[in-house]
Amino acid sequence: MKYKLLAASILATMSTSALSATYQLTELSTLDEAKHNYVKDVSESGHIIGLANGIYNLPIDVSYIDFTDSLIERAYDRREDYFESINKQITFTLDDIENNNAAATNPDAHSFMLDFLSLDAIRTNPEYQKLANIVGYNVLNGEAQEQVLFDIASVDYDGLTRSVSNFYNAVAEDGIAVGWGSAPYEKTVFTPDGETEEETRFVRDFISRGIIVSPDGLSVPLVPEFDEYGGISSASDIVKTNSGYTVVGQVSTGIPSDRQENIDDTCDGEDQPISVCIEGLQRSTSSRLFDTRAVKWSLDSNLNITNTELLGLGLTPEDDDNFAFTSNALAVNSNGIVAGSSDIRDNNRSSTIRTLPVYYKDGKIVEMLNQEDDWTGGKALAISNNDVIVGYGIKRIEGEDRLKFFYHDIASNSSVFPTDFFNSSASIANDINDNGYIVGEGETDVFNVGSRRREGFLYKIGEDTITNVNDLLPCYEADGETRYKYVVSEAKVINNNNEIFGVATKTVEKTDSLGGVVRDINGEIEYESIAVPVKLTPIDGEVESCTAPETDTYERQSASFPWYTLLLLPLVGLRRAFRNK
C-alpha cells in the first residue's frame, strides 16, 4: 500500500518511476452547474448516472420575506460580526437584497440568504422557501446532462423550483434508470382558523416517490397502493430481463394506530395546511410515520407495471405494536434474488427492534448476520449474479458504533467480515462483480476520533487482503515531481472487466455560490477540494511505493473530500424526514 497504516501511517520508500501503476484514472464528465459530482451507478454496457451537489445560482425568492423580521435581522448581524472577525467589510445590506434580489446584489448576499434558509428554525418553517442542493444526471455521449425527476418550472422565477430531493440510484443495461424524489414545493396562501390575514405557506403533494426514467424522456412514477397523505415509495435498483425489467425498492403500506391518532388530533387543516402538519409529524415523531415494505415491481419492455410483489418483513408485528415497521429492497440480481434490510426483533429482548441486512428469496426473508456476535444493525447494498451479497454491519467497537463491510455467500450460507484498514476503521462494501471483486470505502485515519478520512478499497474474495485503491495509482503526475492530484475517497461500482468507478477529490480554485472564483482579502485566489467522478481502468504496471518529505506526508490525503458531504444541506433534513428508509 502507498499509505501503510503503520503507527502514524507513515509513507514507506521512494519510487523512481513516476508513471508506473496498475490502474489508470480518468475523470468523467461533470455538470458545470455544480461544484461536487458523484458517480452513482454504471451498467456493464457503460451507461453512467450520478448525483451533483453544490448547485450554483440557486434561485431565491424574496418577494414574500419581511426583512424587518427579527430572525433575518439577527442573522444579518451575525454575518456582519463574522466579516469583522476576518477584517472584511460587509458588502451588502438587507435593503439591497429586498430591492435587488440576492444573486443580483453579489455572491456574499446570495450566500447569506442560502445560509439563512438552511437554519434549523427556517428550514423546517413552512413560511419560508425550500431549496434543495442535489440533482441527478446522466452521462450521454460522454457529456453529463441533468436528469429531472419531479421538479417543475417555477412560477416565481426563471427555471426549475430547485425545491425537490433527488436520489438517482441505478441504471440497467439499456440506460433505463431508477431513483426517487420529492414533490416540488408550491408557494401558496393560507388563513389560519380565527385569523383574517393571509399568510405565505410552502406545501408539496408527497414526501417520497419512486420513479423510472428512460433515455428518451419517458418517466413512470411508482405510486404506492397506500398513498394517503402522499404515501412513500422509492426505487433503488433495476435489472433488464427477457420480458422487460425488475425494479426493487420500498412502498408505504399503512399508518400505525398511534401515528394515525397523532394525525387525527393535530392535522385538521385549521391552523396549518394538512401537508405541512404531516411533514411536521414525519420529522418529530419518535417512530416512523408510515409502515413500509420492501417491494419488487415487474415491468414489460414499455415500462408498464405488470406485477407488484411486497417482499414482507423480518418479524411478525404483535397486537400491541402500535408503531411503524419497515423493510427495504436495495439491490436485485439477474436471478431475481433481492438484498436489502428489514426490522428484526432482538434475540434477547423482543421489545428491541434492529434493522439488519437480509435477502428475499422464494418468499422467505433470510438474516445474514448473527446477532449473538453483537451486530446491531446494517444493510445489504449489492448482489452479484453469483448470489454473493455485500454490505455492512454495525457493532460497538472501542466505545463507538462502527460500520464493518461483509460479504455473504447464499450457496454456503456464510457471512465473512474481512480484515479492513484497522480495528476501529468504519468500512462499507458498495458493490461486487461476478469475478468476486468487492469495492467500497473505509476509514484510513487511525488517530482521529472525530470525522475520519475515508478512501476507496478493493478486495478479492479468497484473498484476505484489503487494498487502498489509491495504492494502485501513480505517485506523481507526468512531470515526475508534482504529487498526483487525485485521491479516491469512494469506490462505488466495479464491472466484470474489473473497471472501478468512484469519487475522487482534487484541489481547484475555490468558487462561491454563484460559481465565481473566490479571492481572499489580499486579492489572492483561494483553493478548495472538490469531488469528481472517476473511472479506474486496469493497465499493465506495478504498484509503486511512494514517499515524500516529512512535511508532505498525507499531502494526497489532506485534500480528501469528506465522505459525508452528500448528506449535508438538504439531506441533513432528509435523513430526519426519511427515518423509515
Side-chain angles (χ1 to χ4, degrees):
M1 293 175 61
K2 286 195 181 76
Y3 296 95
K4 303 276 187 185
L5 292 169
L6 179 61
S9 299
I10 298 175
L11 300 173
T13 57
M14 175 71 85
S15 170
T16 57
S17 172
L19 298 178
S20 180
T22 58
Y23 269 86
Q24 175 180 313
L25 184 150
T26 304
E27 186 174 333
L28 303 175
S29 177
T30 59
L31 287 180
D32 293 336
E33 301 81 11
K35 179 174 292 191
H36 305 291
N37 290 258
Y38 309 79
V39 66
K40 279 291 292 182
D41 194 27
V42 182
S43 71
E44 288 291 332
S45 55
H47 292 90
I48 302 172
I49 65 172
L51 289 173
N53 185 28
I55 308 303
Y56 297 125
N57 293 291
L58 282 173
I60 298 174
D61 178 12
V62 300
S63 63
Y64 66 95
I65 295 178
D66 177 5
F67 282 88
T68 65
D69 185 86
S70 60
L71 279 173
I72 196 166
E73 286 184 336
R74 287 198 299 268
Y76 180 82
D77 290 342
R78 290 192 296 269
R79 184 57 56 96
E80 191 172 27
D81 290 343
Y82 168 72
F83 271 50
E84 289 180 1
S85 71
I86 60 173
N87 298 317
K88 181 178 179 181
Q89 184 72 32
I90 196 162
T91 59
F92 63 93
T93 66
L94 292 181
D95 286 342
D96 291 333
I97 298 175
E98 182 176 13
N99 296 323
N100 303 321
N101 205 324
T105 299
N106 60 37
D108 289 340
H110 187 256
S111 176
F112 165 76
M113 286 304 300
L114 290 178
D115 291 344
F116 174 72
L117 292 171
S118 66
L119 293 172
D120 283 344
I122 302 301
R123 180 178 49 80
T124 59
N125 189 330
E127 298 177 21
Y128 289 89
Q129 177 188 7
K130 307 305 171 195
L131 287 174
N133 208 13
I134 295 177
V135 299
Y137 66 84
N138 303 302
V139 178
L140 302 174
N141 300 318
E143 295 294 327
Q145 301 177 25
E146 181 178 354
Q147 175 62 60
V148 177
L149 299 184
F150 290 104
D151 210 352
I152 59 174
S154 171
V155 298
D156 298 305
Y157 40 77
D158 293 336
L160 300 171
T161 71
R162 295 300 182 197
S163 65
V164 300
S165 305
N166 297 284
F167 296 83
Y168 205 32
N169 292 329
V171 61
E173 290 309 292
D174 56 357
I176 303 292
V178 298
W180 59 276
S182 62
Y185 280 94
E186 175 188 359
K187 184 174 70 174
T188 186
V189 292
F190 178 78
T191 304
D193 189 48
E195 303 289 336
T196 58
E197 186 175 345
E198 292 182 334
E199 300 175 357
T200 298
R201 294 290 186 272
F202 288 85
V203 299
R204 60 181 176 179
D205 292 335
F206 56 81
I207 298 172
S208 164
R209 182 77 77 244
I211 191 169
I212 306 170
V213 293
S214 67
D216 60 7
L218 177 64
S219 296
V220 179
L222 297 167
V223 180
E225 183 175 344
F226 182 87
D227 62 354
E228 292 187 33
Y229 312 109
I232 280 179
S233 67
S234 64
S236 299
D237 200 10
I238 180 173
V239 293
K240 185 170 174 52
T241 65
N242 292 332
S243 58
Y245 305 89
T246 298
V247 175
V248 297
Q250 182 185 59
V251 291
S252 54
T253 58
I255 296 176
S257 58
D258 281 6
R259 300 291 77 76
Q260 187 62 57
E261 288 180 10
N262 294 146
I263 293 173
D264 295 339
D265 290 343
T266 60
C267 299
D268 54 14
E270 295 182 358
D271 297 325
Q272 56 187 333
I274 292 177
S275 65
V276 169
C277 182
I278 293 296
E279 290 205 36
L281 287 175
Q282 178 81 356
R283 287 192 300 268
S284 64
T285 50
S286 58
S287 60
R288 309 154 182 132
L289 184 62
F290 292 96
D291 279 302
T292 61
R293 298 292 182 268
V295 64
K296 179 166 69 173
W297 292 278
S298 299
L299 298 95
D300 63 22
S301 57
N302 295 316
L303 300 185
N304 298 304
I305 298 174
T306 59
N307 187 57
T308 301
E309 178 187 358
L310 297 181
L311 300 177
L313 186 67
L315 58 80
T316 301
E318 298 178 354
D319 293 339
D320 58 351
D321 287 335
N322 294 320
F323 47 87
F325 290 107
T326 185
S327 62
N328 201 354
L330 299 173
V332 61
N333 67 4
S334 60
N335 303 319
I337 301 176
V338 180
S341 62
S342 177
D343 284 349
I344 304 289
R345 293 194 189 278
D346 187 280
N347 286 345
N348 299 315
R349 296 179 59 189
S350 62
S351 61
T352 299
I353 307 301
R354 311 288 189 189
T355 301
L356 292 166
V358 299
Y359 67 87
Y360 307 86
K361 180 184 179 185
D362 299 331
K364 297 180 181 180
I365 303 173
V366 183
E367 290 184 59
M368 289 176 278
L369 306 188
N370 187 349
Q371 291 189 39
E372 301 305 318
D373 291 334
D374 299 324
W375 297 106
T376 60
K379 291 182 180 180
L381 300 178
I383 179 171
S384 73
N385 291 321
N386 297 322
D387 300 341
V388 179
I389 297 169
V390 298
Y392 67 88
I394 302 173
K395 73 183 325 183
R396 200 82 172 166
I397 300 174
E398 296 183 7
E400 299 287 341
D401 286 338
R402 303 290 186 187
L403 283 63
K404 289 291 185 179
F405 89 92
F406 75 89
Y407 66 88
H408 178 89
D409 186 349
I410 292 179
S412 63
N413 191 32
S414 61
S415 294
V416 177
F417 283 84
T419 301
D420 51 11
F421 289 127
F422 54 92
N423 184 53
S424 65
S425 169
S427 58
I428 299 172
N430 291 319
D431 197 22
I432 180 173
N433 68 8
D434 295 339
N435 305 319
Y437 284 95
I438 299 170
V439 293
E441 61 211 66
E443 293 175 340
T444 58
D445 186 352
V446 68
F447 291 107
N448 192 340
V449 295
S451 298
R452 290 170 163 176
R453 180 180 58 253
R454 290 194 173 210
E455 299 187 33
F457 72 74
L458 175 66
Y459 177 87
K460 176 69 165 65
I461 292 178
E463 301 173 6
D464 193 24
T465 301
I466 186 172
T467 300
N468 187 323
V469 296
N470 293 290
D471 298 350
L472 309 177
L473 300 175
C475 298
Y476 298 95
E477 296 292 338
D479 61 10
E481 298 180 355
T482 305
R483 298 291 295 194
Y484 197 62
K485 65 181 177 181
Y486 295 99
V487 177
V488 179
S489 55
E490 303 174 24
K492 299 293 292 185
V493 180
I494 184 165
N495 63 22
N496 289 332
N497 293 323
N498 295 337
E499 296 170 327
I500 301 170
F501 297 82
V503 179
T505 64
K506 67 176 184 179
T507 300
V508 298
E509 293 180 348
K510 186 176 182 179
T511 52
D512 57 39
S513 62
L514 299 179
V517 175
V518 175
R519 296 178 181 271
D520 62 22
I521 59 175
N522 298 316
E524 300 294 329
I525 293 176
E526 296 185 10
Y527 292 85
E528 64 182 341
S529 291
I530 64 167
V532 294
V534 295
K535 175 183 179 180
L536 278 62
T537 305
I539 58 173
D540 291 333
E542 59 185 33
V543 175
E544 298 180 47
S545 183
C546 303
T547 63
E550 184 176 353
T551 56
D552 289 338
T553 299
Y554 286 117
E555 179 179 337
R556 292 179 66 172
Q557 295 163 321
S558 64
S560 182
F561 188 66
W563 73 278
Y564 49 81
T565 300
L566 193 58
L567 303 178
L568 297 180
L569 299 170
L571 291 188
V572 173
L574 285 172
R575 290 183 71 188
R576 302 188 186 111
F578 293 103
R579 286 191 297 271
N580 59 315
K581 293 296 178 188

